[in-house]
Amino acid sequence: MNINTSNNHDNGEQDQKGVSKKRYMPLLLINYTCLFLGSVSSSLLSKYYFNHKGSNKWVSTWVQSAGFPFLLLPVFLPYYLFQCTQRKPFTRFTPRILSLSIFIGLMLGLNNLLFSWGNSYLPVSTSALLLSSQLVFNLILSAIMVKQKITFTNLNCVILLTLSSILLALGSNHDKPQDLTPTKYMIGFVATIGAGLLFALYLPIMEMIYKKVYCYAMMIEMQLVMELSATILASVGMVWDGGFTEMRKESKEVFDKGEGVYWVTMITNVVTWQLCFMGTAGTVFLTCSLTEGCMTMTALLGMNVLGGVLVYREDFGGVKIVSTVMCGWGFCSYVYGMYVNNHMMKLLDDHKQNINPSIEMAQPQPQPHSDLHLGFGV
């Protein structure tokens, strides 16, 4: 009886792995698309809010995570409505995972507040370039927390992005909006760097936690708890600062595009931020690589800079051009390093199989983390 049960379990596990491999590329493309659309749209919409006399930092913070109810659909519908999975929502969701999700959610809430402060004072293109510094912090923290090896190409990327941020800071006087004091501009500059640091800390922490995650559905459930925690933190700030009452007044009397446009901006911003965060979490989970998630975020910086210039007619002078080129150069160096590393690993695996194929076939093949955890569970 036990043998039959074990065989059935093994067959089910093999079926699940097969389905997982088929789901990998579609899920990865979906998450890349969410990350791309969410990152660009949310940055431009947040700046649109501040450009048209919106001024409440807590409102801007709150909309970044208030879209968490959208996650209830992929969490509960597959089991209760579509009945396409046997896994109940929050299965194996231990108290430890719950505590970690709440803690990381509060950290993301603080990150959202810092981003709002920075985005309220800085042009979109400048903010996007400064956020590229998260890769610098990310490589350092990854080396410490998850023992990631730093190669020449990684180090080259770190140096170029650091110099890019320094160059941008030196040329900030010409980029500063006329109605802002140097003190406020510097606050925005430091707040944006702080947001990049916190987000860089988030990525290696999530890589460590995802090793214990059972399936893709559990990742969504963790994201739901994290964004709920971030929303509670932002809501407390809104109540303390009178933000909920201020939203009605701001929409009618302050926002210069009218009340209707104000609420459309808020709702659209909620949706786009949700796409951004889900795309980020899904990319880190599916690729099972911290560096891949950072690489994708860095690739989107160019679109944010371009969007700031084309949509808001921001200045794109010599200093910003050089900073953008250095940022792109660092990103290309990072991509090349990843390509060389993957190519060498493939050659090494092929060499091992050619030396003793019989032993390789006899031994069970290790499965990558992403292939084991793509489905909604069985």
Side-chain angles (χ1 to χ4, degrees):
M1 183 69 179
N2 292 335
I3 295 177
N4 293 333
T5 304
S6 177
N7 290 335
N8 291 335
H9 175 75
D10 292 340
N11 292 333
E13 184 178 4
Q14 291 175 0
D15 292 340
Q16 178 63 27
K17 291 178 182 177
V19 173
S20 295
K21 291 178 180 178
K22 295 178 181 179
R23 290 176 177 174
Y24 179 77
M25 284 308 300
L27 281 175
L28 187 59
L29 290 176
I30 290 173
N31 280 276
Y32 275 155
T33 303
C34 290
L35 179 57
F36 179 83
L37 294 177
S39 174
V40 176
S41 302
S42 59
S43 296
L44 295 178
L45 285 170
S46 296
K47 190 61 183 178
Y48 182 84
Y49 166 75
F50 288 113
N51 278 356
H52 293 285
K53 298 184 179 181
S55 59
N56 196 305
K57 313 299 186 301
W58 284 109
V59 170
S60 180
T61 302
W62 186 76
V63 299
Q64 293 182 49
S65 57
F68 72 90
F70 290 113
L71 297 180
L72 294 173
L73 300 178
V75 168
F76 291 101
L77 290 185
Y79 179 79
Y80 290 104
L81 182 61
F82 301 129
Q83 297 181 349
C84 59
T85 176
Q86 297 178 13
R87 177 187 179 273
K88 291 184 178 180
F90 294 97
T91 300
R92 300 191 187 181
F93 206 86
T94 64
R96 181 174 180 271
I97 293 180
L98 177 62
S99 301
L100 289 173
S101 299
I102 294 175
F103 171 76
I104 296 172
L106 296 176
M107 185 176 72
L108 282 179
L110 178 58
N111 175 83
N112 295 343
L113 178 61
L114 289 175
F115 178 83
S116 297
W117 275 94
N119 207 32
S120 65
Y121 293 144
L122 300 179
V124 172
S125 52
T126 303
S127 178
L129 286 171
L130 285 177
L131 285 174
S132 67
S133 62
Q134 69 175 276
L135 185 56
V136 179
F137 302 133
N138 184 254
L139 288 174
I140 296 174
L141 293 172
S142 296
I144 296 173
M145 298 177 63
V146 294
K147 309 301 180 184
Q148 179 174 323
K149 183 180 179 181
I150 297 181
T151 63
F152 171 77
T153 53
N154 287 340
L155 183 60
N156 182 52
C157 180
V158 169
I159 294 174
L160 288 172
L161 289 176
T162 303
L163 292 177
S164 174
S165 297
I166 294 175
L167 183 61
L168 195 62
L170 294 176
S172 61
N173 289 334
H174 302 287
D175 191 41
K176 182 179 63 177
Q178 297 180 355
D179 58 341
L180 287 181
T181 64
T183 301
K184 288 185 176 181
Y185 190 83
M186 186 54 61
I187 291 175
F189 195 93
V190 174
T192 304
I193 292 292
L197 176 59
L198 277 179
F199 194 76
L201 179 62
Y202 158 82
L203 291 173
I205 290 178
M206 292 311 299
E207 181 179 2
M208 297 171 64
I209 295 175
Y210 282 162
K211 294 178 180 179
K212 305 296 183 182
V213 169
Y214 171 57
C215 61
Y216 186 83
M218 183 179 288
M219 184 276 294
I220 299 179
E221 293 161 0
M222 289 183 62
Q223 193 69 19
L224 172 63
V225 176
M226 285 188 289
E227 299 211 25
L228 174 60
S229 302
T231 303
I232 292 175
L233 177 63
S235 298
V236 172
M238 288 272 284
V239 172
W240 173 73
D241 197 41
F244 289 106
T245 304
E246 191 68 21
M247 287 182 72
R248 292 185 178 181
K249 180 179 179 181
E250 190 175 59
S251 65
K252 295 180 180 180
E253 303 177 9
V254 180
F255 197 73
D256 60 11
K257 289 294 183 178
E259 184 177 2
V261 176
Y262 178 88
W263 291 112
V264 170
T265 302
M266 292 293 103
I267 295 173
T268 309
N269 215 356
V270 167
V271 175
T272 55
W273 273 114
Q274 195 58 230
L275 290 175
C276 180
F277 283 129
M278 272 307 303
T280 300
T283 299
V284 174
F285 177 83
L286 291 173
T287 58
C288 198
S289 169
L290 176 63
T291 54
E292 184 70 18
C294 296
M295 182 178 66
T296 306
M297 289 298 294
T298 307
L300 298 176
L301 287 173
M303 290 302 300
N304 277 321
V305 173
L306 184 62
V309 173
L310 295 179
V311 177
Y312 297 119
R313 300 294 187 268
E314 294 176 355
D315 179 60
F316 197 65
V319 172
K320 193 171 292 185
I321 291 175
V322 174
S323 296
T324 304
V325 171
M326 294 177 69
C327 180
W329 184 4
F331 171 68
C332 291
S333 173
Y334 193 75
V335 173
Y336 178 74
M338 293 292 295
Y339 168 77
V340 171
N341 182 66
N342 292 335
H343 183 66
M344 292 299 295
M345 292 297 295
K346 183 178 179 180
L347 291 177
L348 183 61
D349 291 340
D350 292 341
H351 179 67
K352 289 181 178 179
Q353 291 179 3
N354 291 333
I355 292 177
N356 201 341
S358 60
I359 295 179
E360 292 293 330
M361 294 179 62
Q363 293 179 348
Q365 296 296 317
Q367 297 289 334
H369 172 72
S370 57
D371 284 347
L372 290 174
H373 301 278
L374 298 183
F376 280 88
V378 291

